[in-house]
């Protein structure tokens, strides 16, 4: 392993604030056992690609639509992961479901951040703002974020870190999303990424 750091690929689809938190954590040394060497975007117009560019991190766009089939799409992603000798995949606002065939190739090597306290408001159909809309519609008073390993069950892999965030009177989905990001996601995802990177490095010596 190069300089004894885990080689990390971050998967994105949109704005990429979680990618930004990871890049900042790498710069400040919070992430020091791993290095972000590749960004994979499912969306050619994702602003996250600009964030990667600003930090000198190469990015590849692999579009499900352009590939035609899930098999071709995932084969394209796997080819990029092999080229960059990736040890750890971090899903940071990645809005495309990966098949069991894909996830089973990387057991406990794929992390995801989800904007609720799993097992609430998670699984198929719960992503992005929809998660916060559902929490507000239900009327829960506490929500949060979860970082978990990814397996064949959507949002069903082993939980790594979790943090609760209060819901306040008058919250809109947008206001709540921002609070969950600021108070939970942007801290949990870098912390979990460092933790798993350190484990990968330790296992490689
Ligand atoms: C984040 O809140 C992330 O937790 C959520 O999408 C947002 C992406 O924001 N992910 C999911 O809902 C996955 N099921 P970002 O692009 O600014 O990081």
């Amino acid at each position: 392993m190069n300089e004894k750091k885990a080689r990390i690929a971050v998967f994105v689809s949109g704005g990429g604030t979680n990618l930004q938190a990871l890049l900042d954590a790498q710069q400040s040394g919070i992430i020091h056992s791993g290095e972000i060497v590749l960004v994979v975007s499912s969306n050619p117009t994702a602003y996250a690609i600009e964030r990667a560019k600003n930090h000198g991190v190469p990015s590849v766009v692999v579009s499900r639509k352009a590939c035609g089939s899930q098999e071709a799409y995932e084969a394209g992603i796997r080819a990029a992961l092999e080229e960059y000798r990736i040890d750890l995949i971090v899903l940071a606002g990645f809005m495309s479901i990966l098949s069991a065939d894909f996830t089973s190739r990387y057991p406990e090597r794929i992390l995801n951040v989800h904007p609720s306290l799993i097992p609430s408001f998670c699984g198929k159909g719960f992503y992005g703002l929809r998660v916060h809309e559902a929490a507000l519609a239900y009327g829960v008073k506490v929500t949060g974020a979860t970082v978990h390993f990814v397996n064949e069950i959507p949002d069903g892999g082993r939980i790594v870190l979790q943090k609760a965030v209060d819901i306040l009177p008058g919250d809109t989905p947008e206001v709540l999303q921002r609070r969950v990001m600021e108070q939970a996601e942007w801290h949990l995802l870098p912390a979990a990424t460092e933790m798993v990177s350190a484990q990968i490095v330790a296992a490689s010596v």
Side-chain angles (χ1 to χ4, degrees):
M1 197 170 293
N2 185 25
E3 295 168 0
K4 296 225 162 62
K5 284 193 191 227
R7 294 173 62 80
I8 301 167
V10 182
F11 286 25
V12 297
S13 300
T17 65
N18 279 289
L19 168 65
Q20 190 65 53
L22 290 164
L23 292 165
D24 293 346
Q26 182 170 290
Q27 205 147 319
S28 70
I30 291 171
I31 296 176
H32 55 269
S33 303
E35 187 181 353
I36 300 162
V37 296
L38 178 66
V39 167
V40 175
S41 178
S42 62
N43 169 8
T45 62
Y47 183 66
I49 295 170
E50 291 304 312
R51 298 183 191 270
K53 207 177 283 169
N54 293 340
H55 281 255
V57 177
S59 61
V60 293
V61 174
V62 189
S63 144
R64 166 77 182 74
K65 219 174 175 181
C67 287
S69 71
Q70 187 72 15
E71 289 72 22
Y73 172 58
E74 292 184 355
I77 295 175
R78 289 207 315 273
L81 298 179
E82 275 159 35
E83 184 186 341
Y84 284 85
R85 292 175 288 113
I86 296 302
D87 302 305
L88 174 64
I89 298 165
V90 180
L91 308 186
F94 187 64
M95 301 305 183
S96 160
I97 298 276
L98 295 164
S99 73
D101 175 66
F102 184 94
T103 59
S104 65
R105 292 170 195 258
Y106 307 95
E108 304 228 321
R109 287 290 181 272
I110 311 176
L111 284 171
N112 180 46
V113 63
H114 182 76
S116 76
L117 293 175
I118 291 174
S120 287
F121 311 116
C122 66
K124 211 165 179 275
F126 286 98
Y127 56 86
L129 263 189
R130 290 179 183 216
V131 178
H132 304 292
E133 282 164 5
L136 290 173
Y138 199 98
V140 292
K141 301 300 176 202
V142 175
T143 185
T146 304
V147 177
H148 63 93
F149 285 117
V150 175
N151 63 10
E152 70 286 359
I153 303 159
D155 298 323
R158 187 159 72 83
I159 290 173
V160 179
L161 291 174
Q162 216 163 25
K163 187 168 186 278
V165 173
D166 285 337
I167 292 181
L168 301 179
D171 271 353
T172 62
E174 290 79 8
V175 166
L176 182 57
Q177 179 181 54
R178 181 77 190 183
R179 188 179 312 117
V180 169
M181 284 174 158
E182 281 177 358
Q183 294 187 8
E185 294 185 49
W186 296 341
H187 308 287
L188 287 192
L189 190 58
T193 300
E194 171 55 26
M195 222 165 87
V196 177
S197 295
Q199 286 164 6
I200 291 172
V201 171
S204 77
V205 289

